[in-house]
Amino acid sequence: MRQIFLITFFAGIFSLSAQNTALIKRLDGSTISSDSLTNAIKTLIDKGNVQGLTIAVFNSKKPVYMKAFGYSNVADKKALTLQTNLYGASLSKAVFAVLVMKLVDEGVITLDKPLQSYLPKPIYQYESKVWHEDYKELEFNPQYTKITARMCLDHTTGFPNWRWFEPDEKLRIKFEPGTRYSYSGEGLTYLQVVLEKITGKPLEELAQEKIFKPLGMTASSYKWQKEFEKDYAYGYEHDGKMQEKDKDNAPRGAGTLETTLEDYSKFITAVLNKKLLTSKSYKEMFKPQIRIHSRNQFGPGALEDGNFNDNIELSYGLGWGLVKSPYGFGAFKEGQGSGFQHYGILFPEKGIAMLIMSNSYNTDGIMKYLLETGIADKYTPWQWDQYIPYDQKKN
């Protein structure tokens, strides 16, 4: 009955009347018409040289504006649509975080028990079928036995983002687990591998069972599906070069999600309406776990600490970044890879959110303006995320 209720709930969300809402409410109480927003987006796309872009805006915890612009394949002039398959990149992590919290609600795992303690033998003794299951190097990094699900979700494991970014491409722990924020796909992948061993189910099966099917996300998967072939987008570099489409990734909760704007909007709607999880889990997920003091999220600025974002009390929750605003906290998640550039931010107390999914790296140059125009979001840490506006970039 719960599944039927959820499907019915979401079916009503995407009604024609919702899409044709004349005025969109913004955080500061102002409004913008759908037509005005559309025209502003078209102008920004042109100035920012963006190949393709899809956008959803949410009022009263449901989408009231959803549009696609540009192309999924520029050479073929194939239009990007709300149903076009998009590589989700790190938007994958927000879905994975909800999946983990669902398993916490079900008593499968706890947030603060060391993950190694769930296994009958050291993680590095297991045979690996794919590269991300290879933990042989952890035999020489005993601090890994301290890592918990909470540390994986708030990016304090001490792991690098990905092992291949290391000079020797070996996995290692770079600081004491739990002491510092450092974005890590490896951390979430370690949690995934442990969960797969605990449950006896692969990630894709868990995600379909706990997230995608209950929400009616029929076009979403952590692995490439043959039905995606009919309509998918290519990603584009800053110079406009098209990226080859990667279709053979092993499922990873940290970054292999394939989805559409329409499908991911169902997920955002569920989060805004606190579906799937207990109120306790939502509260924990959106509670600041660790303050972030770095200048930037990546690059040399990630090691430079200061008061750069103290005005918004930049921090990390479980799977989501957090900012403080006069309208309550904002929970955000970025995604970037293979020519795709995404961003979503939710202000649950206002019931307002915005989701931006694009197949163009150049969207980083209009991200700030899109957010300010669409929902009057002036709290996104765009400098920390290095979303430098197109008209402020150095030639």
Side-chain angles (χ1 to χ4, degrees):
M1 289 298 294
R2 177 176 174 79
Q3 187 170 0
I4 293 173
F5 169 78
L6 284 171
I7 293 174
T8 303
F9 173 79
F10 288 110
I13 286 170
F14 296 97
S15 64
L16 183 62
S17 61
Q19 294 302 298
N20 291 334
T21 299
L23 294 177
I24 297 166
K25 297 177 182 177
R26 299 189 283 196
L27 290 170
D28 59 4
S30 64
T31 60
I32 184 171
S33 71
S34 295
D35 286 346
S36 293
L37 179 56
T38 296
N39 290 334
I41 293 170
K42 288 179 178 178
T43 298
L44 288 169
I45 285 174
D46 182 58
K47 290 183 176 180
N49 192 28
V50 171
Q51 282 73 29
L53 180 71
T54 61
I55 285 191
V57 179
F58 302 73
N59 280 178
S60 300
K61 303 181 180 180
K62 62 182 184 290
V64 294
Y65 178 94
M66 297 178 73
K67 281 199 179 296
F69 305 83
Y71 302 102
S72 61
N73 184 322
V74 174
D76 293 346
K77 299 299 180 184
K78 186 175 180 180
L80 186 64
T81 75
L82 301 179
Q83 294 79 36
T84 299
N85 171 265
L86 299 166
Y87 168 53
S90 285
L91 290 186
S92 307
K93 293 179 174 70
V95 176
F96 181 67
V98 172
L99 172 61
V100 173
M101 296 308 292
K102 180 71 173 173
L103 295 174
V104 169
D105 281 342
E106 294 175 0
V108 174
I109 194 173
T110 64
L111 289 172
D112 295 311
K113 181 178 179 179
L115 293 172
Q116 175 57 66
S117 65
Y118 286 97
L119 306 178
K121 61 181 180 181
I123 188 75
Y124 54 78
Q125 291 183 5
Y126 285 86
E127 181 182 356
S128 58
K129 297 180 181 179
V130 292
W131 69 263
H132 72 249
E133 295 176 343
D134 183 357
Y135 289 106
K136 291 191 295 291
E137 297 302 327
L138 293 188
E139 181 177 2
F140 312 105
N141 288 263
Q143 307 102 305
Y144 91 90
T145 59
K146 301 177 183 179
I147 294 174
T148 64
R150 187 186 302 276
M151 293 175 193
C152 294
L153 292 172
D154 68 14
H155 295 279
T156 60
T157 59
F159 286 136
N161 190 4
W162 295 108
R163 64 190 72 184
W164 61 74
F165 292 147
E166 295 297 289
D168 56 6
E169 297 189 358
K170 291 183 178 181
L171 183 63
R172 56 172 51 82
I173 293 178
K174 306 184 75 170
F175 57 81
E176 182 69 15
T179 62
R180 181 183 177 87
Y181 172 87
S182 183
Y183 194 84
S184 176
E186 291 283 359
L188 274 80
T189 303
Y190 172 54
L191 174 55
Q192 170 192 331
V193 171
V194 172
L195 286 174
E196 289 175 328
K197 296 185 185 306
I198 292 173
T199 63
K201 296 179 180 181
L203 169 68
E204 178 65 15
E205 182 178 344
L206 287 169
Q208 291 291 346
E209 175 188 337
K210 309 291 185 184
I211 307 290
F212 301 145
K213 289 181 180 178
L215 299 185
M217 295 173 67
T218 57
S220 296
S221 175
Y222 275 108
K223 64 179 181 180
W224 184 259
Q225 303 289 348
K226 62 180 181 180
E227 54 263 36
F228 298 158
E229 293 285 348
K230 61 184 178 183
D231 186 14
Y232 66 89
Y234 287 92
Y236 292 86
E237 298 279 354
H238 281 107
D239 62 4
K241 181 180 179 181
M242 185 179 78
Q243 284 261 19
E244 290 297 320
K245 179 64 180 177
D246 192 351
K247 302 178 183 179
D248 62 355
N249 279 318
R252 285 187 292 278
T256 66
L257 180 67
E258 300 283 345
T259 190
T260 67
L261 182 89
E262 190 172 83
D263 249 26
Y264 206 84
S265 292
K266 295 176 183 178
F267 171 70
I268 296 297
T269 303
V271 174
L272 284 169
N273 286 277
K274 297 185 177 179
K275 301 296 179 183
L276 296 179
L277 302 180
T278 63
S279 57
K280 178 181 178 182
S281 282
Y282 272 113
K283 183 177 180 180
E284 193 66 33
M285 190 166 67
F286 291 139
K287 182 177 77 174
Q289 305 287 327
I290 188 163
R291 280 290 295 274
I292 297 173
H293 300 287
S294 60
R295 177 183 289 276
N296 301 126
Q297 180 159 215
F298 298 115
L303 298 175
E304 181 184 350
D305 288 348
N307 61 354
F308 309 108
N309 289 291
D310 283 359
N311 61 319
I312 54 171
E313 297 182 13
L314 181 63
S315 59
Y316 225 82
L318 299 178
W320 304 72
L322 300 174
V323 295
K324 183 179 179 181
S325 84
Y327 314 105
F329 72 89
F332 66 90
K333 188 69 202 78
E334 320 90 335
Q336 178 180 316
S338 300
F340 290 82
Q341 186 80 262
H342 312 312
Y343 187 82
I345 187 164
L346 295 67
F347 292 86
E349 293 176 38
K350 295 287 287 187
I352 291 175
M354 190 165 183
L355 173 63
I356 300 164
M357 299 184 70
S358 167
N359 62 328
S360 172
Y361 275 161
N362 284 334
T363 302
D364 63 359
I366 64 173
M367 199 75 79
K368 176 179 184 289
Y369 300 141
L370 288 171
L371 293 163
E372 290 178 352
T373 303
I375 60 171
D377 170 21
K378 299 179 181 179
Y379 312 97
T380 282
W382 59 270
Q383 291 169 305
W384 181 74
D385 268 319
Q386 295 172 288
Y387 292 151
I388 308 304
Y390 68 90
D391 53 359
Q392 296 181 28
K393 290 183 178 180
K394 298 178 180 178
N395 294 327

